[in-house]
Structures are given as structure tokens and as C-alpha cells.
Amino acid sequence: MSPISPTTLTTPDGPFTILADEEHVLASGWTAEADQLLQLIHPSLRDELEGAAPTVLVQAEEAVRKYYAGDHAAVGLVPVLQRSGPFRQQAWEALRTVTPGEPITYREYADRSGSPLAVRAAAGACASNAAALFVPCHRIIRTDGSLGGFRYGAEVKQSLLRREATVSV
């Protein structure tokens, strides 16, 4: 395990904190509390927080700035590491293939995750995603078009979906 470094940026949706090791984003979300995010990281990946900024943290900060400037695909280029069972691992990878501005339903997400009938398991993968924005669980909506859940609240999810619905230059 390598030390985990935090950073917090100011965004239009509130403070956004990123926790990264030397090579990957491990957790991120709309909070100023790094300790809250640390609890989302799989125990096998956790180490102590420290202040040094690894290269991937600088890359992640820049990607978030680009995202809020209109380059919604920038966050998808940042390396992320999460651990769980095989289905969740596959489901988190599937989330990274959802195109900005083109949200899909939980049913479609289950299908992309390799288990078309596992809609509840797919929703559980969204709920346990530690690396919000970089693994865009906000792009998954209910079949009826309503938002569904989101750890950081419906207001942030709606804001992200609206932002991504606009054409980037």
C-alpha cells in the first residue's frame, strides 16, 4: 500500500475532494471531509492520509477543472482503482463507458455489466462506488426517467446531468 494524498477543489456543485495513491484515484466526491471518503476505500487499499501530491492527483485536479469547463470526457482518462467482487469490478468498468450526456437506465447498466437480470446488483455497484465523477454513477437513471439515488444528493446529480446535456466546444 502507498500513502493516500487528499486535495479539495471548489466546484459549482460544492467542495470536491479527491483521494489518490501514487497511481490511481481511490475515492472522490462532493465533500470537504477527506476522512468520510477514506471510509469508502476498500480496506486492502487504505493507508494513512498525507499531504504530498502524487502525479495522478495533479492529473485528477486538472480533469475536474476541465470537466467543469465543458470537457466532460476528461475525468474518464484518469486512472482509478477500486476493489470488490468480480461483478462490482466489472460494473464499475462499465460505468466508465457511459457517454457524458447520454444517461442510461439501471436495466441498461446491468446489461452492460454482463448480467442483464441483475438490476439490483447494478444499483448496488453504483451505491458502493467510491470514485464519484471519475466512475460516473450519476449517469445511471431509473427506467421511468427519474434520477434514482446518489450519495451526494439529487441536486448534485441533476446538476451534473444538466451540465453534461449541454454541447461541449
Side-chain angles (χ1 to χ4, degrees), residues 117-159:
L117 300 177
V119 176
R120 285 183 188 234
C126 279
S128 64
N129 172 34
L133 193 60
F134 299 102
V135 178
C137 54
H138 66 276
R139 294 181 187 151
I140 310 303
I141 58 174
R142 291 183 174 153
T143 304
D144 67 3
S146 63
L147 293 180
F150 188 59
R151 175 177 284 128
Y152 302 101
E155 187 176 296
V156 172
K157 184 172 184 173
Q158 183 65 49
S159 174

Side-chain angles (χ1 to χ4, degrees), residues 5 11 15 25 41 45 52 54 59 64 66 84 103 106 125 140 143-144 159-160 164:
S5 299
T11 75
V25 167
I41 299 171
L45 300 175
Q59 179 187 1
V64 171
K66 286 180 177 180
S84 189
Y106 285 97
I140 310 303
T143 304
D144 67 3
S159 174
L160 298 170
E164 291 178 3

Side-chain angles (χ1 to χ4, degrees), residues 43-126:
S44 69
L45 300 175
R46 285 187 209 152
D47 205 345
E48 295 300 313
L49 286 176
E50 64 175 46
T55 303
V56 74
L57 196 55
V58 174
Q59 179 187 1
E61 289 174 348
E62 183 60 26
V64 171
R65 286 187 189 96
K66 286 180 177 180
Y67 175 87
Y68 278 100
D71 181 358
H72 304 129
V75 292
L77 302 175
V78 177
V80 172
L81 180 62
Q82 298 189 81
R83 287 218 175 109
S84 189
F87 178 78
R88 282 194 179 169
Q89 293 286 154
Q90 188 169 339
W92 290 328
E93 287 304 316
L95 277 173
R96 296 195 90 188
T97 69
V98 180
T99 305
E102 298 177 18
I104 63 172
T105 66
Y106 285 97
R107 185 169 306 285
E108 292 168 311
Y109 172 47
D111 189 42
R112 282 194 192 193
S113 299
S115 296
L117 300 177
V119 176
R120 285 183 188 234
C126 279

